[in-house]
Amino acid sequence: MAIRPIDRTSGWRAIPAGVWALGFVSMFMDFSSEIIHALLPMYLVAVLGTSALTVGVIEGIAEATGQITRIFSGALSDRLGRRKALAVLGYCLSACAKPIFPLASVVGWLMVARFVDRLGKGIRGAPRDALVADLSASHLRGASFGLRQSLDTVGAVLGPLVAIGLMWLTNNHFTVVFWVAVVPALVAVALILVAVHEPQPSKRRARSGGFSSLGTLGAACWSVIAIGAIFSLARFSEAFLVLRARSIGLPLTLVPAVLVVMNVAYALSAYPVGALSDRLPRSTVLGLGLCMLIVADLVLARTSSVAELVIGVFLWGLHMGFTQGLFAALVADTAPPDRRGTAFGMFNLISGLAQFCASVIAGVFWDMHGPSRTFFVGAGLAILALVVLILARRRLVESSPAMTNEIAENPSDMR
């Protein structure tokens, strides 16, 4: 397998300033969101006296809203030829939702806040990813998506840690902590308004938009979407990592550390893996990520100690770093430039629905057969995704604008 030489214009210094800015925007908004999300379930149950079912309904409605909205915002960004405007709208909606959390005194207003927050995330997701692709040269695309994902995950690490610290400092005063979360959200909005400048829209405006453009995404792009859906079936919610920690007797106060370990591994790996995928075929690196998920599932299925749990969770975080940014880069590689918003929206929608199904399947297996069988099933689905990836590998490489020279220069690599 040939490795592309490192160009002197490659590396993190060559990543456009706009991509860096979008990364920090994601970091501050995720920092804000995770402060709230780390405490909201306890606030609903312990302070407002709601049931676990109510928590599930609120989260289900919020996440479904975010996923469904993505396809419409992505297609609209293609039709308008303006990514930043929709991304700004999405970030502003999420920022406006944040003050509702400390002000709300009833469950209904908290449901509204979560709905608006996830609506904003759904609106901004696909246009933002398409904007990263528009701003990045093809030989920096993996590094660009990896950098944005790493910075985003830094926010996911800091949020719960800061939430724990603030709860200790304020003697468990939820409202004060929720108000603190408003600040980084406003910083995120200010950053995207001032520091992000998109390319001229006339260079990539779609001649048509909406669902009529789905047929023009191309076979390779649909292959990426299909692989992403199968992969998402294997990657159920991280909530099951928390449940696994409790199942082996980890103290309740230490359970949030499971997600911190996962996100640290995720944050540390996403950028270097993205940069590596600019030198190696992305499908090869993605395959390594799926292998890590298989091993993580097998470790978590058999774990009986905290040390084994930490290893399994760390591998789970590494597989996220090896796959999430790469999937985004593959969508950008294979989708027509003026259809990238639609492609990202469809990818996120189908992957999100697949992960929802995966979490339901995992929950059924957990209740009927226990945690070990659940993670064994996840490993089996990950193996299926790896087989599909291997079968689709040549199509992905041949149809990717960033990789077509690879076959011409090194035809033996594909044998």
Side-chain angles (χ1 to χ4, degrees):
M1 180 185 299
I3 299 178
R4 301 186 192 104
I6 301 177
D7 189 275
R8 66 169 177 255
T9 60
S10 64
W12 61 269
R13 292 182 181 86
I15 295 176
V19 175
W20 279 95
L22 284 169
F24 281 108
V25 169
S26 296
M27 184 188 77
F28 279 108
M29 186 58 75
D30 219 41
F31 179 29
S32 170
S33 296
E34 291 303 323
I35 291 175
I36 293 173
H37 297 167
L39 302 175
L40 187 59
M42 291 187 292
Y43 182 68
L44 284 166
V45 174
V47 177
L48 298 184
T50 62
S51 65
L53 176 60
T54 301
V55 175
V57 169
I58 291 174
E59 291 300 307
I61 292 174
E63 293 301 328
T65 300
Q67 296 296 346
I68 294 172
T69 306
R70 294 183 184 200
I71 179 59
F72 296 103
S73 64
L76 183 60
S77 77
D78 288 337
R79 185 165 182 88
L80 297 177
R82 295 185 181 278
R83 318 284 196 201
K84 179 180 173 179
L86 286 168
V88 168
L89 174 61
Y91 280 110
C92 284
L93 281 175
S94 292
C96 289
K98 295 299 190 288
I100 301 177
F101 290 98
L103 291 173
S105 58
V106 294
V107 174
W109 277 110
L110 289 174
M111 183 178 293
V112 169
R114 281 291 285 146
F115 175 83
V116 174
D117 182 37
R118 294 299 92 178
L119 178 65
K121 184 174 182 178
I123 289 174
R124 69 180 181 256
R128 180 203 59 212
D129 289 342
L131 184 55
V132 171
D134 291 343
L135 290 168
S136 306
S138 60
H139 72 285
L140 291 171
R141 192 166 289 151
S144 295
F145 279 105
L147 175 69
R148 193 210 67 78
Q149 198 68 61
S150 284
L151 290 171
D152 180 271
T153 311
V154 167
V157 172
L158 294 176
L161 292 176
V162 170
I164 293 170
L166 289 174
M167 289 291 282
W168 178 75
L169 288 173
T170 63
N171 195 24
N172 298 327
H173 202 302
F174 286 91
T175 302
V176 172
V177 180
F178 288 162
W179 275 120
V180 172
V182 175
V183 178
L186 296 177
V187 172
V189 173
L191 265 179
I192 193 171
L193 285 170
V194 174
V196 177
H197 307 282
E198 65 179 322
Q200 290 296 319
S202 60
K203 294 181 179 179
R204 50 172 166 74
R205 182 175 301 198
R207 285 188 292 264
S208 63
F211 294 105
S212 62
S213 64
L214 294 178
T216 65
L217 294 181
C221 186
W222 280 109
S223 295
V224 173
I225 293 172
I227 294 168
I230 297 171
F231 171 78
S232 295
L233 280 174
R235 185 178 62 84
F236 38 74
S237 170
E238 287 81 16
F240 289 93
L241 301 181
V242 174
L243 293 176
R244 189 60 172 131
R246 287 293 295 155
S247 73
I248 66 168
L250 194 70
L252 185 61
T253 54
L254 295 179
V255 166
V258 169
L259 296 182
V260 174
V261 170
M262 186 203 76
N263 281 314
V264 166
Y266 188 1
L268 291 176
S269 60
Y271 170 71
V273 168
L276 179 64
S277 77
D278 289 328
R279 301 179 60 212
L280 294 174
R282 302 203 208 286
S283 54
T284 299
V285 184
L286 186 60
L288 292 175
L290 285 169
C291 290
M292 289 181 185
L293 176 58
I294 294 168
V295 176
D297 277 325
L298 294 177
V299 171
L300 291 167
R302 302 297 297 270
T303 186
S304 58
S305 67
V306 174
E308 291 173 339
L309 175 72
V310 170
I311 292 172
V313 170
F314 192 84
L315 285 170
W316 188 287
L318 283 181
H319 107 265
M320 295 286 284
F322 268 75
T323 57
Q324 297 306 288
L326 264 67
F327 269 122
L330 279 169
V331 172
D333 286 340
T334 55
D338 62 350
R339 296 287 189 269
R340 281 176 179 153
T342 302
F344 278 113
M346 183 55 64
F347 176 85
N348 291 325
L349 172 64
I350 293 180
S351 295
L353 292 175
Q355 190 175 14
F356 172 78
C357 293
S359 296
V360 172
I361 294 170
V364 171
F365 271 88
W366 191 286
D367 288 340
M368 294 180 63
H369 304 290
S372 293
R373 188 73 61 87
T374 302
F375 285 100
F376 278 131
V377 170
L381 290 171
I383 291 171
L384 174 62
L386 182 60
V387 171
V388 174
L389 175 65
I390 293 171
L391 294 175
R393 183 173 183 267
R394 186 176 182 88
R395 172 177 287 180
L396 294 180
V397 175
E398 287 179 336
S399 301
S400 168
M403 302 182 206
T404 48
N405 291 334
E406 183 179 330
I407 296 176
E409 295 173 1
N410 305 288
S412 62
D413 293 344
M414 298 306 300
R415 293 174 187 168

